Amino acid sequence: MFSNTFILSFFFLFFPLIITATFKNLTLPHQHPFPESVVHEVKRRVNESISRRQILDTTVTSNQCLTGNPIDDCWQCDPNWANNRQQLADCAIGFGHGAVGGKGGRYYLVSDPSDLDTVNPTLGTLRHAVIQEEPLWITFAGDMIITLKHELMINNYKTIDGRGANVHVTGGGCITLQYITNVIIHNIHIYNCVPSGNSNIRQSPTQVGWRGMSDGDGISIYSSRNIWIDHCALSHCTDGLIDAIMGSTAITISNSYFTHHDKVMLLGHDDRYVADVGMQVTIAFNHFGQGLVQRMPRCRRGYIHVVNNDFTEWQMYAIGGSANPTINCQGNRFTAPEDPNAKEVTKRVDVDERDWTQWNWRTEGDEMVNGAYFVPSGDGLSNQYALASSMEPKSAFFIDRLTMNAGVLGVPRDTSVAMSYGGRTRTTVGTNRNGGAMPKEDDGDFLEKVFGSAASTGTSSSSPSTTTILLSLLILYITTNNGGLVTLPLLLFIIVI
């Protein structure tokens, strides 16, 4: 029998080599090592929900809330959902399925739509809510338009839950997720976002930082992970509606409605930023609609799963990319414009054909309407897709059902350009929606209304487990050992202590 010393020595000598061989393509500590398994699970969830809906269609039952959309069916069929809001955190699919947001934390009620001070935000405002250190589930007292003065910097473990109200976010910024984790943004309108900045902005109760001019994105995701954007309506921003760059990963963008914009969605910083190879994004059940031009999305590196979306308008192209991204398109409907020169769904940006022929761009079960066509490339039957191909996606035949509620729930879709003029909004809000004075910081009764009790179910913690720390250290060693940032002896020393 081998001694314990021998076994430990063998483990520490060869385990990093085994892990390196297994995860040799990892560039980010938090990317999923087997993206195909995530794709497989998304399709399983969709197929399961559609099958349940089809069974109901053939039986007499009072349970008609099921739509076949696995996210909506997860929570909408609960008649008591308003008293169990945090169930939503269990409903995400795809690469962002681990985003818990403010689950397990207290409720924060936003009752003041103003944004008068970005350094010392008023209690009861959205800015005051999102900068807190603790996990929070943020809800709204009623309909409101929040006109931001500058970027809204969101802290870790937050859910912005607009259900039950008609919430609009517009103005300077708008929403920035930078170096953070676990955020859910659900059921809000975001539009008319313009560049703003060169100002001090509070990012947490203890940190204020100088911010240069923002780009005017609707939602900017920068070096962040575990992000879920669901049932939002985005339009009319200066730069992108959603941008995810600088090593952001574990993102799901679902059930949202995109209209009236040029460069809709950018995934990846630039062609030279190698860390974006680890970017993993799921784009599911969205409606890309009226007045869109391009970038739905535009990808640099990474693994992008585009599944069961409805693309009804583009002027240049729908899905583009550079720097060899993996794009897995399944069960979408692409309706081409009348322009005969814009029928192609795909665009390889600034690259010769001989360089992109090996990129893995795949179409499976997609419906092409009005002459639309997708140009695939790479080895579609390689190991890249072997697991994903083991279960066929639901075809685009079900697109109407899967995307019928895309956008903000309970209000008409934003199909008009009337809300926007040249990227500016005509609406400004300086007082609360009742026209009354703003609450004061020392108002104890108001504080009790703002911060509700902690959720009765679910937990959330920002403290990683010992296992997570050890795995993170191993991955850090693997992904940086070529540069000598973490040596094996140092890693072993850290593990021992």
Side-chain angles (χ1 to χ4, degrees):
M1 297 293 293
F2 295 113
S3 67
N4 289 338
T5 302
F6 178 84
I7 293 173
L8 287 173
S9 300
F10 182 86
F11 175 83
F12 284 125
L13 179 62
F14 289 101
F15 187 68
L17 301 178
I18 296 171
I19 295 297
T20 300
T22 304
F23 304 118
K24 62 182 179 179
N25 292 322
L26 291 180
T27 60
L28 295 173
H30 302 286
Q31 73 182 89
H32 198 286
F34 304 109
E36 300 84 5
S37 67
V38 178
V39 170
H40 179 84
E41 177 62 16
V42 168
K43 291 192 290 185
R44 187 195 68 78
R45 292 275 301 274
V46 173
N47 291 343
E48 187 178 79
S49 294
I50 286 288
S51 296
R52 282 198 299 265
R53 176 68 251 182
Q54 289 176 319
I55 292 173
L56 288 178
D57 288 340
T58 60
T59 60
V60 178
T61 177
S62 60
N63 186 9
Q64 293 298 316
C65 71
L66 293 175
T67 65
N69 182 311
I71 295 174
D72 291 348
D73 292 351
C74 176
W75 67 270
Q76 281 191 325
C77 290
D78 179 3
N80 198 36
W81 68 262
N83 294 320
N84 189 24
R85 286 177 174 270
Q86 296 195 12
Q87 178 187 352
L88 177 68
D90 300 324
C91 298
I93 65 170
F95 290 114
H97 76 279
V100 298
K103 182 180 179 181
R106 294 191 290 172
Y107 287 90
Y108 187 115
L109 182 66
V110 174
S111 58
D112 181 350
S114 72
D115 188 37
L116 304 178
D117 191 338
T118 61
V119 175
N120 297 298
T122 303
L123 185 68
T125 62
L126 180 58
R127 186 177 297 277
H128 184 270
V130 299
I131 65 169
Q132 302 304 313
E133 295 285 8
E134 65 177 298
L136 290 176
W137 199 276
I138 301 165
T139 62
F140 297 84
D143 299 350
M144 60 183 69
I145 298 174
I146 300 172
T147 303
L148 297 172
K149 189 174 182 179
H150 295 301
E151 288 176 280
L152 186 71
M153 307 294 294
I154 299 183
N155 208 340
N156 297 301
Y157 293 96
K158 300 293 179 291
T159 296
I160 299 176
D161 182 357
R163 289 176 293 178
N166 189 7
V167 179
H168 296 243
V169 176
T170 184
C174 286
I175 297 176
T176 298
L177 288 65
Q178 183 168 308
Y179 302 119
I180 54 92
T181 183
N182 283 285
V183 168
I184 298 172
I185 302 174
H186 182 82
N187 213 61
I188 63 173
H189 304 263
I190 303 170
Y191 59 91
N192 287 38
C193 300
V194 298
S196 180
N198 290 330
S199 178
N200 284 314
I201 299 176
R202 185 168 295 280
Q203 302 169 38
S204 76
T206 59
Q207 181 182 3
V208 175
W210 176 263
R211 302 286 296 177
M213 290 294 291
S214 65
D215 294 331
D217 295 329
I219 301 175
S220 174
I221 307 171
Y222 187 105
S223 293
S224 296
R225 59 184 172 86
N226 292 325
I227 308 299
W228 181 26
I229 300 165
D230 187 53
H231 274 297
C232 291
L234 299 101
S235 64
H236 302 289
C237 293
T238 301
D239 192 22
L241 295 182
I242 300 177
D243 284 4
I245 63 172
M246 298 300 288
S248 296
T249 193
I251 299 167
T252 292
I253 301 166
S254 57
N255 290 315
S256 292
Y257 193 69
F258 300 89
T259 59
H260 299 109
H261 197 75
D262 179 6
K263 300 174 181 178
V264 177
M265 189 183 305
L266 173 65
L267 305 177
H269 179 56
D270 65 36
D271 291 356
R272 296 165 295 179
Y273 193 72
V274 179
D276 279 333
V277 170
M279 175 179 58
Q280 297 170 332
V281 181
T282 299
I283 301 171
F285 319 135
N286 301 286
H287 186 111
F288 294 89
Q290 184 177 352
L292 300 182
V293 179
Q294 59 178 317
R295 296 189 178 187
M296 301 169 236
R298 191 255 201 251
C299 316
R300 293 184 173 108
R301 305 184 182 274
Y303 188 112
I304 316 301
H305 186 207
V306 183
V307 57
N308 293 135
N309 301 277
D310 195 8
F311 296 81
T312 59
E313 187 169 329
W314 67 83
Q315 295 179 29
M316 293 176 61
Y317 65 88
I319 298 173
S322 59
N324 192 16
T326 294
I327 298 177
N328 193 355
C329 269
Q330 297 179 313
N332 303 281
R333 179 168 61 197
F334 296 98
T335 303
E338 295 302 322
D339 183 353
N341 298 315
K343 300 291 187 181
E344 184 178 347
V345 171
T346 51
K347 178 180 177 63
R348 279 77 172 178
V349 181
D350 298 328
V351 62
D352 292 332
E353 181 175 353
R354 64 178 180 271
D355 295 322
W356 60 255
T357 53
Q358 297 305 310
W359 295 2
N360 284 314
W361 289 27
R362 187 191 195 201
T363 174
E364 180 183 6
D366 293 319
E367 179 184 0
M368 303 294 168
V369 181
N370 198 33
Y373 65 97
F374 186 112
V375 179
S377 59
D379 186 359
L381 298 179
S382 69
N383 291 334
Q384 184 78 26
Y385 298 105
L387 181 58
S389 299
S390 65
M391 180 183 293
E392 293 299 312
K394 285 298 181 183
S395 72
F397 175 79
F398 296 99
I399 284 298
D400 286 336
R401 181 177 294 280
L402 291 170
T403 64
M404 66 181 181
N405 292 321
V408 174
L409 296 167
V411 297
R413 284 177 168 172
D414 300 331
T415 58
S416 171
V417 299
M419 71 164 60
S420 170
Y421 294 87
R424 301 279 179 177
T425 178
R426 287 182 170 181
T427 307
T428 58
V429 178
T431 60
N432 64 21
R433 71 185 197 288
N434 296 322
M438 303 302 172
K440 297 179 180 179
E441 290 285 351
D442 59 355
D443 188 336
D445 292 337
F446 180 75
L447 183 61
E448 186 66 26
K449 295 177 183 177
V450 170
F451 285 97
S453 61
S456 58
T457 60
T459 60
S460 176
S461 174
S462 58
S463 299
S465 66
T466 301
T467 302
T468 301
I469 293 172
L470 291 176
L471 289 175
S472 298
L473 286 170
L474 286 170
I475 294 173
L476 179 63
Y477 165 73
I478 293 163
T479 57
T480 61
N481 62 353
N482 288 336
L485 295 179
V486 179
T487 64
L488 183 57
L490 176 58
L491 178 65
L492 297 181
F493 174 76
I494 294 172
I495 292 175
V496 170
I497 61 172

